[in-house]
Amino acid sequence: MLARIAALTERPLSFIRSFKYRRTDSIPNSSRGEIDFTDLDSNATKCVNLRLCSVSGCMTEILEIRADRPSFHVVFVPGNPGVITFYKDFVESLFKSLGGTASVSAVGASGHTEKNWEHGKLYSLQEQIDHKIEFIKVQNIEAPLVVVGHSIGSYIALEMLRRLPEKVMYCIGLYPFLALNLQSKKQAVIVKVIMSRVLSIMVTLFVAPLSLLPRRVLRLISELSNGNSWSNTAHEACCSHLPQYHTIRNVLYMARTEFIKLSETPDWEFMRENQEKISFLYGIDDHWGPLQMFEEVSRQASGIALSIEREGHTHGFCCTEAGSIWVARHVASLIKNKLAR
C-alpha cells in the first residue's frame, strides 16, 4: 500500500492519451439470462475505457469494459492508493478470462485522481464505502453483481455485500486487509506516520514537489525504485497520480481511518451468515493479509472459500503483467465455479 509512495515518478499516463474522458451518470441496462462459460479464456477482447463519472458530486475515474450482452456485472474496488489505472492490465485480463460474458467496472477511490477535481477534500474509509454504494445506484446496473476488492478494497466489498444483499451475489477479496497485523513492523511504522500530523505533513511536502520534475527524471526514479518487474502501466499510474498533493494527502488520510476502523474485531457473525457468497485469496508473505488471518477466517467462518496464491506474486499484483493475468484468471475461475452451482 503506502510503500508505493516511495516510487513516485512521472507525469501523465502515456496510455491515458488514447482514452477519452467524459462525464456520464448512466450505463446501458444489462441483460439477464443463462451464463455461457464455453468461451471462458477465449479470445474475447475489447479495449478498456477510462472515463470520468460524477458520483455524489465527486469526479471519479472509472476503468471499464462493457460486454455486448452481459449476464452479470463485475464491480472492482482498488486498495489504497485507489489509483484505478494501476489495474488496467487486470481489468483487460479479467474481461478476456470471462469470455465477454460480463461487463467489468473498476471504480477509483474518491480524491485519488490525477486532477484535483475535489479541491483538496479528504475522504475517509467510510466515505469511500458510501461512494462505491452510490456508484452502483447511479449507474443503475440491473444485472447481478459480483464485487471484487483488493486489499482494503476487500473490506469495502464486504460492506457493499452488507448494504446491498439482494444485489450482490458474490464477493471476492484479493489479498484482503481486514484487520491490523500487530506482528508487522511495517504496519507499526506506517501507524506512526499516519497518526502524526507532523510526520504526515512531512511526507506530503516531500512527495508533492516530485510532480514538478521532468518526465524522464520521474520515470527514471520509478524504474530505480521499483525495478524492471513493474509493468509500464504501473510505472505510468504511479507517476501521474501519486506525486499529486491532493492524492498523497488522501492516501494518508484514508490509511489513518483504515487503521482506526480495522483495529476493531472483524464482524465474524456477518461473514458466517454470508459465507457461501464470500471468497478470499491470500498470499504467502503478505503483512496486509497474513496467513494467520487466513487461519482465523477458516476457524471463524469455515464456509468461506479460501485459497493461497503460491506463484510468487505479491500483494501489489497489479504492478506486474504476470500478476495481473494470474489473479484475473483466478477470479474468473472462482466466478465460473460459483455461478455454475
Side-chain angles (χ1 to χ4, degrees), residues 48-197:
V48 64
N49 177 46
L50 175 64
R51 65 185 177 95
L52 285 176
C53 175
S54 178
V55 180
S56 296
C58 174
M59 295 305 294
T60 306
E61 292 178 348
I62 311 293
L63 272 181
E64 190 170 66
I65 305 181
R66 299 181 184 180
D68 295 329
R69 298 181 61 187
S71 299
F72 60 100
H73 197 120
V74 178
V75 175
F76 176 77
V77 183
N80 183 12
V83 177
I84 206 59
T85 44
F86 271 112
Y87 299 89
K88 174 179 176 286
D89 296 337
F90 169 76
V91 170
E92 290 179 334
S93 297
L94 179 57
F95 179 83
K96 181 179 180 180
S97 296
L98 290 171
T101 60
S103 294
V104 181
S105 298
V107 187
S110 303
H112 297 215
T113 51
E114 182 177 0
K115 293 185 178 181
N116 187 14
W117 299 104
E118 310 312 317
H119 308 291
K121 181 179 178 180
L122 301 179
Y123 294 88
S124 66
L125 173 60
Q126 185 57 53
E127 288 171 315
Q128 297 290 356
I129 295 171
D130 295 339
H131 174 258
K132 305 307 176 291
I133 297 293
E134 187 62 23
F135 169 79
I136 292 175
K137 295 178 179 179
V138 165
Q139 298 302 289
N140 191 31
I141 302 172
E142 293 189 353
L145 285 178
V146 174
V147 180
V148 182
H150 172 220
S151 191
I152 189 61
S154 301
Y155 178 88
I156 296 175
L158 286 174
E159 291 302 303
M160 295 169 73
L161 172 61
R162 184 196 302 273
R163 291 170 58 174
L164 299 171
E166 301 301 321
K167 189 69 175 174
V168 177
M169 64 175 180
Y170 196 25
C171 176
I172 301 174
L174 307 174
Y175 306 90
F177 180 32
L178 305 177
L180 298 188
N181 181 359
L182 300 180
Q183 300 177 18
S184 171
K185 294 181 180 179
K186 291 182 179 179
Q187 288 190 24
V189 172
I190 292 172
V191 166
K192 292 181 180 179
V193 173
I194 61 179
M195 294 301 177
S196 168
R197 179 177 175 82

Side-chain angles (χ1 to χ4, degrees), residues 246-266:
H246 67 279
T247 298
I248 195 62
R249 288 193 68 213
N250 264 290
V251 167
L252 294 171
Y253 181 70
M254 181 179 172
R256 182 177 187 274
T257 60
E258 288 174 32
F259 275 66
I260 292 174
K261 183 62 179 177
L262 270 58
S263 64
E264 303 173 3
T265 302

Side-chain angles (χ1 to χ4, degrees), residues 13-21 47-51 62-63 85 88 92:
L13 305 180
S14 59
F15 69 82
I16 276 183
R17 298 194 186 106
S18 64
F19 297 154
K20 293 182 179 179
Y21 276 112
C47 293
V48 64
N49 177 46
L50 175 64
R51 65 185 177 95
I62 311 293
L63 272 181
T85 44
K88 174 179 176 286
E92 290 179 334

